[in-house]
Amino acid sequence: MKPPPKSSALKNLRPKLGGSCTSCDDDSPEVPPPLPASPPSLTLPPPLVNFIRSRLKPPKSQKCIFYSTDWEKSALLTNFQKRGWLQVPSFGGEWNFYWACTQNCRYIFGIDHPYRMRSDQMINHFPNSVELSRKDLLIKNIKRYRKDLERRGDPLAQTLSPDTKLGIGGTRYKHLDIIPLTFVLPADYQLFVEAFHQNPVSTWIVKPCSKSQGVGIYLVNKLSKLKKYAYDARTFYPAMNRDTCVISKYIENPLLIGGKKFDLRLFVLVTTFNPLKAYLYNEGFCRFCTEKYDQAEIDNVFMHLTNVSIQKTNEEYNSIHGGKWPLQNLWLYLDSLRGEGVSDILWRRISDTIRHSLDAVAPVMANDRHCFEVYGYDIIIDNSLKPWLIEINTSPSMHSTTTNDRSLKSRLIDNVLDVVVPPNSLPDEHWDKIPKPELLKNFTVLMPIPHQKHSSTGAGGATRSGGSRRKGRSSKKKKSPPAEGAEMNARKGKGGGGGGTSTSTGTGTGKEKLRR
C-alpha cells in the first residue's frame, strides 16, 4: 500500500472516541470533534483548491505563527489571538503551534504513521507522557528511582532505623517518601494482602489506572470488597486484563480547613527532560469537598474526593466560588495559624516532591525537541504539613468555573507561551530553550535537589540540623574544602534556618570547652 504524502499525513487524525483519556482531567463535557478521515465528498474546481492551499500555507517571508487547537477554551484562544496568531486546521499540517489532545499527539508520534514534524513546529505533549500520567507507570518509575539512588549509595536514599514505625508511605526513606504506600492490582494482590493484615483497621483507596475526573474511585476497609482482584490475581494475563488499578493507603489525617478536606492543584511546565528544565507556577488553587470530613463514612464521595466534576453534582456545591481557594489564601491561613514562615517551608517540601517525580521519569521519557508540556499536579497535605503526591495530569483542565479561575488559567497560558516560544520568532527545534529571566514571571525554576542538604536526620529540619553537623565537623577537621563549604552555606541560606545558626554555634562552643 502506497503511503500518503506528508502534506496530507494528518488528514486521518482523529480522537479515539469511546475510550478514556488517561491523562486528561478537563471538567467540561466538551470533546474535540472527530476530524475528517478523507476529503469531503464535494468536488471543488482546481483553481479554488489551489487558492485554499495557498491560504493555509504561510509565505516564507511571513513571521506570523499559525496555531491549531483541539480545545476551544477562552484561556487558550485569547492568548493566541492577542499575539496575532492565526488559526488553521490541524489536519492540514501547516500549523506552527499545536495545543493538542493526547490522542492526536500519539497519532503524530506513532511509528506507523508517516508524519514528520518540521523544525518550525511544536506541540504541547511529549510522546510518552503516559509515564507520568498513568498511575501504575508513575508508581513503577518512582520505585525504580528509589532503588537506583539506593544502589548508587546516594544520600537522598538514606533510610530510617529498622525499629521506626512505618507511616502512610510504607517505607523508611527519609527524603523519598513522597507517595502513599501503593500496589498495582491484580498483579500485586498478594503483596497488598500482606500489608493489609499488618494493619487491618486501615482504609485504602482504589483508583483505575486509565480513567480521570474521579471516575471509578472508591474506598475500602475490607478484603471482601476486592474479591474480583483476588480471582484475577490467580488468572492474570497482562496482555488481556484491562481493569488494572492502583490501591493506595488512604491519608486518614488530611489537613482540614473548616472541617473540610481539600487538595492542591499546581501547574508545572517542562520544556525538556534531557537535561531536565522544569518550572513551577507560583499560583494555583485548593479544591474543597462540599461536605465536612468524616473518616468513618467511606462511601460518601462528597467528603473524600475533591474532583470538581464530582463535587459540582452535590446540592451543596457553590457555583460562585466553585469550591476553590487561591493558593495565596492558603499561605496566609497557615502563617496566621501555625506561625510565620510555615508556608515557605511547605512550599519547599512541595517543590522537592515535584522535582523527585520528574527525576524519576526523566530517564524513560522520549525527549523530543518539538515538545513541551504543562502538568497538573494534585497534592494532599496531611495534618503534620507533609505533602503527598496523589496524581499527575498531562492535560490539566483549562475549563473555567469561576471568574478567578478564568483569570488564573489565562495568566498561566500567557506565561507558558512566553517561556516555550522563542521571542520574536517562529518555533525552532534548534533553540536552546533558555528563556530570558524576565519572561519567567510567575514561574520558579525547579532546581536539582542538593544531596548535601539531606545528609542530616529528619526531613523537616534537614537544613537546620545539617548546618549544626557541618560546623561541628569543621571544628574537628580543620582542612575542609572552602568551595564546598561556600556551597553548603548558600543552600542553607535558601532554607532559612536562623535557629540552625544558634544551634551550631552552641554545639561548637560546647566541644571547645570539652577539649579545654
Side-chain angles (χ1 to χ4, degrees), residues 215-485:
V215 177
I217 299 179
Y218 58 96
L219 276 63
V220 297
N221 54 10
K222 297 179 181 179
L223 287 177
S224 58
K225 295 184 178 181
L226 299 172
K227 290 182 178 179
K228 174 184 180 300
Y229 298 104
Y231 173 78
D232 291 342
R234 296 191 296 268
T235 59
F236 178 52
Y237 297 96
M240 300 174 60
N241 192 290
R242 297 183 179 181
D243 296 330
T244 305
C245 71
V246 295
I247 183 166
S248 306
K249 203 163 188 179
Y250 189 63
I251 301 174
E252 298 177 345
N253 62 330
L255 179 65
L256 304 178
I257 296 181
K260 295 181 179 180
K261 179 183 174 181
F262 68 95
D263 71 350
L264 306 183
R265 165 52 63 90
L266 304 176
F267 301 96
V268 177
L269 169 65
V270 177
T271 57
T272 174
F273 276 95
N274 186 21
L276 180 59
K277 296 179 182 178
Y279 309 89
L280 175 59
Y281 197 62
N282 295 331
E283 297 185 63
F285 52 86
C286 309
R287 303 183 300 182
F288 283 83
C289 291
T290 52
E291 297 186 11
K292 291 189 176 182
Y293 178 76
D294 186 353
Q295 181 181 342
E297 296 186 29
I298 64 174
D299 295 328
N300 190 341
V301 295
F302 298 120
M303 63 176 57
H304 293 286
L305 304 184
T306 59
N307 303 76
V308 177
S309 57
I310 292 178
Q311 295 298 330
K312 67 182 181 182
T313 61
N314 191 5
E315 296 178 354
E316 301 295 328
Y317 179 75
N318 189 323
S319 58
I320 299 177
H321 55 69
K324 296 179 180 179
W325 231 25
L327 201 59
Q328 287 70 21
N329 289 6
L330 176 64
W331 303 147
L332 291 175
Y333 175 84
L334 292 177
D335 286 341
S336 62
L337 188 67
R338 304 217 177 184
E340 186 177 356
V342 169
S343 61
D344 294 333
I345 297 175
L346 178 58
W347 186 248
R348 286 195 296 272
R349 293 177 181 174
I350 293 175
S351 301
D352 286 352
T353 299
I354 295 174
R355 177 71 195 207
H356 279 309
S357 66
L358 295 175
D359 286 336
V361 301
V364 299
M365 291 296 291
N367 187 58
D368 194 290
R369 296 288 298 175
H370 300 89
C371 303
F372 72 94
E373 195 141 21
V374 178
Y375 297 105
Y377 271 73
D378 294 341
I379 305 287
I380 284 186
I381 306 170
D382 64 18
N383 198 37
S384 61
L385 296 185
K386 175 176 175 56
W388 295 96
L389 175 59
I390 302 302
E391 187 177 341
I392 303 175
N393 298 277
T394 52
S395 293
S397 173
M398 291 295 116
H399 177 68
S400 303
T401 56
T402 64
T403 303
N404 292 335
D405 198 24
R406 182 182 302 107
S407 178
L408 184 150
K409 292 174 180 176
S410 180
R411 292 193 302 271
L412 167 68
I413 299 301
D414 186 32
N415 208 165
V416 167
L417 298 180
D418 287 340
V419 174
V420 302
V421 179
N424 304 320
S425 174
L426 294 174
D428 185 7
E429 65 172 333
H430 303 294
W431 184 45
D432 57 7
K433 295 190 175 183
I434 302 179
K436 296 180 180 179
E438 60 268 18
L439 295 178
L440 292 179
K441 297 179 183 177
N442 272 344
F443 275 116
T444 299
V445 180
L446 286 173
M447 301 297 293
I449 301 175
H451 297 184
Q452 294 89 340
K453 185 177 75 171
H454 298 287
S455 60
S456 60
T457 57
T463 305
R464 290 192 289 271
S465 58
S468 64
R469 294 183 62 182
R470 285 194 295 272
K471 290 197 175 184
R473 288 196 297 268
S474 63
S475 61
K476 290 183 179 181
K477 300 180 181 179
K478 296 183 179 180
K479 294 182 180 181
S480 59
E484 182 180 357

Side-chain angles (χ1 to χ4, degrees), residues 487-502:
E487 184 180 0
M488 297 288 190
N489 293 332
R491 287 168 177 165
K492 175 185 170 186
K494 180 183 178 182
T501 306
S502 60

